[in-house]
Amino acid sequence: MTQNDFAWNNIFEKYHILDKIKEQGEFIISANQIKEFREPRLMTKFDHEINLPDIFKANNLAILPISRGDYIISRFSAYKTFEAPNFEMQRISAPDYIQSLSPQFLFSESIALNYAHASSILDDFLEDDELVSTVTGRMSSGNFDYYINTNAGKKNVSVLNSQIEIDAAYEGINYLSLFEAKRDMSDDFLIRQLYYPYRTWERKITKPIKTVFLIFSNGVFYLYQYEFTDPKDYNSLQLKKQKNYVISTEISLNDIENILQKTVEVQEPINIPFPQANSMPRLVNLIEWLSERPMSLQAITNKYAFEKRQSSYYTDAGRYLDLIEKTSNSNKDIIFKLSKQGEHIVKLRYRERQLAIISKILEHRVFNEVLKIHLKSGEMPDKNTIVSLIKQSNICKLSDNTIERRSSTITGWINWILNIIEK
């Protein structure tokens, strides 16, 4: 049980919150009431549904701010699952004279947004001219009402000068575009992060407002534009546009073929399971986060809105490539950190880092063989061929069903390599 779980359990018990919600459909709680048990900023920030305390999840509850010092708890539909991104990637680069925005220096959301602006990603995606950075940072929401879905239908919520934060805002000739930016590749997001800024500004200006979620990881920018079809309906958002942009590496097919020729096969690890983590972008994103600090399995779970089982899949995949190590701290808690090779690779320039990660993948026979077959035939081997290659690759014994599931990881990682090649 986390500190938040323990504190919220005590708050629910003291104020009979479940009973009040059953009777009234909601419970209003102040920051001062929360502070009796723990700091409110640690107790109320849940960017992903899985981050909610256990007592919230068990009772289908969520919490939203309604003023600078008050929150409402109810059975809200407060989160939105991201649609799967397109496969297409548009190659981009910043102007040659810009040195401080090299890909290896994009350490924060704000710097990533600056790169997106400098490289004309925003011009292309927003389809607006003369973009100027405007209303960014913390501010008051003003007053507004809205409807939100609950298990009992639509519920009205009133907001009175709640604090909001806008990661970036760009105004052009035709639109004001409001951004929420993240570096973690999670499956869902809190709609409030887009909705409250939208409601704050749609009443103040006459231009249409675009709300955009930007995710940045390993040189790739994933942009999602949402539209609230009914400004007064929190759940009315619809995806209008989704595009991906990748920083150019000038990695060619010859570069990949050279790696295939030079790579020395390694023995399969004995005590680490064969990977079941299909998304190489998410694994690289985890490596980026671990370059900043070691993390526990629970911290990784919270960061990615995973179940712990998925967190284990990705940490094990990093260990399989010898990029992540499992260790323990002074309290004997399991901690994950970068290996020496991981530390070295993450510090490389962007192009060299991509090639180094590809080399680590292709050290393993089955990945090497599948890529060779693909390059020779022009298409991905079928599942039966990949399963056969797994069985031949000195991998610890796996059941046939497990091997079939692992084959999708091989396909995912090989496709990631192929997508890096610039035609």
Side-chain angles (χ1 to χ4, degrees), residues 58-59 66 70 72 77 84 94 99 105 119 122 143 150 160 174 177 189 192 221 233 279 302 346 356 378 397 401 421:
N59 294 280
I66 53 174
D70 296 292
I72 184 171
S77 297
Q99 297 181 7
F105 300 145
S119 61
L122 302 186
N143 303 340
T150 73
L160 304 174
N174 300 307
S177 298
F189 65 93
R192 176 183 61 79
F221 297 80
D233 189 337
S279 174
N302 292 341
V346 82
K397 291 183 179 179
N401 287 339
I421 298 171

Side-chain angles (χ1 to χ4, degrees), residues 21-156:
I21 291 174
K22 186 176 180 180
E23 295 169 4
Q24 303 169 14
E26 65 183 43
F27 184 80
I28 307 296
I29 189 166
S30 71
N32 288 334
Q33 288 173 307
I34 296 172
K35 198 170 185 178
E36 295 176 39
F37 297 87
R38 198 165 189 239
E39 185 62 39
R41 64 182 178 82
L42 302 175
M43 292 277 283
T44 58
K45 181 176 169 56
F46 308 116
D47 289 348
H48 311 290
E49 193 165 12
I50 200 168
N51 299 152
L52 289 166
D54 287 344
I55 196 165
F56 280 75
K57 287 185 281 191
N59 294 280
N60 298 314
L61 300 172
I63 183 170
L64 293 168
I66 53 174
S67 72
R68 282 192 177 272
D70 296 292
Y71 302 84
I72 184 171
I73 301 172
S74 187
R75 293 187 170 91
F76 296 132
S77 297
Y79 296 86
K80 166 74 174 174
T81 300
F82 279 114
E83 292 80 358
N86 297 319
F87 290 110
E88 294 181 8
M89 292 279 179
Q90 184 170 322
R91 311 271 173 190
I92 50 91
S93 59
D96 292 338
Y97 66 87
I98 300 292
Q99 297 181 7
S100 57
L101 287 178
S102 294
Q104 66 269 30
F105 300 145
L106 305 185
F107 299 129
S108 69
E109 289 88 350
S110 60
I111 297 174
L113 281 160
N114 289 341
Y115 189 99
H117 196 187
S119 61
S120 298
I121 288 174
L122 302 186
D123 293 312
D124 179 78
F125 187 78
L126 298 176
E127 299 179 282
D128 204 358
D129 297 319
E130 306 294 333
L131 292 176
V132 175
S133 177
T134 59
V135 287
T136 299
R138 294 180 180 177
M139 61 194 73
S140 173
S141 69
N143 303 340
F144 59 87
D145 292 345
Y146 65 89
Y147 293 96
I148 183 171
N149 293 347
T150 73
N151 67 327
K154 297 283 186 183
K155 183 175 184 59
N156 185 70

Side-chain angles (χ1 to χ4, degrees), residues 75-304:
R75 293 187 170 91
F76 296 132
S77 297
Y79 296 86
K80 166 74 174 174
T81 300
F82 279 114
E83 292 80 358
N86 297 319
F87 290 110
E88 294 181 8
M89 292 279 179
Q90 184 170 322
R91 311 271 173 190
I92 50 91
S93 59
D96 292 338
Y97 66 87
I98 300 292
Q99 297 181 7
S100 57
L101 287 178
S102 294
Q104 66 269 30
F105 300 145
L106 305 185
F107 299 129
S108 69
E109 289 88 350
S110 60
I111 297 174
L113 281 160
N114 289 341
Y115 189 99
H117 196 187
S119 61
S120 298
I121 288 174
L122 302 186
D123 293 312
D124 179 78
F125 187 78
L126 298 176
E127 299 179 282
D128 204 358
D129 297 319
E130 306 294 333
L131 292 176
V132 175
S133 177
T134 59
V135 287
T136 299
R138 294 180 180 177
M139 61 194 73
S140 173
S141 69
N143 303 340
F144 59 87
D145 292 345
Y146 65 89
Y147 293 96
I148 183 171
N149 293 347
T150 73
N151 67 327
K154 297 283 186 183
K155 183 175 184 59
N156 185 70
V157 175
S158 295
V159 176
L160 304 174
N161 295 315
S162 176
Q163 180 173 280
I164 65 168
E165 184 166 4
I166 299 174
D167 288 338
Y170 297 93
E171 185 170 351
I173 300 297
N174 300 307
Y175 305 98
L176 172 64
S177 298
L178 305 176
F179 280 75
E180 177 70 19
K182 297 290 184 187
R183 290 173 56 215
D184 52 279
M185 301 184 68
S186 302
D187 292 331
D188 69 359
F189 65 93
L190 180 61
I191 298 171
R192 176 183 61 79
Q193 295 171 322
L194 295 179
Y195 185 69
Y196 278 31
Y198 166 73
R199 287 300 307 276
T200 298
W201 283 97
E202 58 93 17
R203 296 170 294 118
K204 294 181 178 181
I205 65 173
T206 58
K207 289 179 182 177
I209 292 177
K210 293 184 177 183
T211 54
V212 183
F213 213 109
L214 180 149
I215 303 169
F216 170 77
S217 175
N218 191 37
V220 182
F221 297 80
Y222 305 87
L223 278 78
Y224 296 77
Q225 180 195 337
Y226 288 96
E227 177 184 17
F228 292 94
T229 57
D230 180 351
K232 293 187 176 182
D233 189 337
Y234 179 100
N235 299 104
S236 69
L237 77 169
Q238 294 182 359
L239 182 67
K240 296 294 291 183
K241 185 177 184 180
Q242 200 283 311
K243 290 187 73 172
N244 311 310
Y245 303 82
V246 60
I247 298 173
S248 177
T249 60
E250 298 183 357
I251 291 175
S252 67
L253 179 58
N254 285 339
D255 293 316
I256 305 302
E257 289 175 336
N258 286 337
I259 292 174
L260 281 170
Q261 291 174 4
K262 295 177 180 178
T263 297
V264 177
E265 181 184 326
V266 297
Q267 286 190 331
E268 290 295 309
I270 297 173
N271 298 319
I272 301 173
F274 190 81
Q276 187 174 338
N278 297 354
S279 174
M280 179 53 64
R282 181 167 276 164
L283 176 54
V284 178
N285 185 242
L286 174 58
I287 291 165
E288 289 178 330
W289 280 108
L290 291 178
S291 71
E292 298 181 7
R293 66 184 184 281
M295 298 173 71
S296 67
L297 193 66
Q298 185 61 54
I300 293 169
T301 299
N302 292 341
K303 175 66 68 178
Y304 289 101

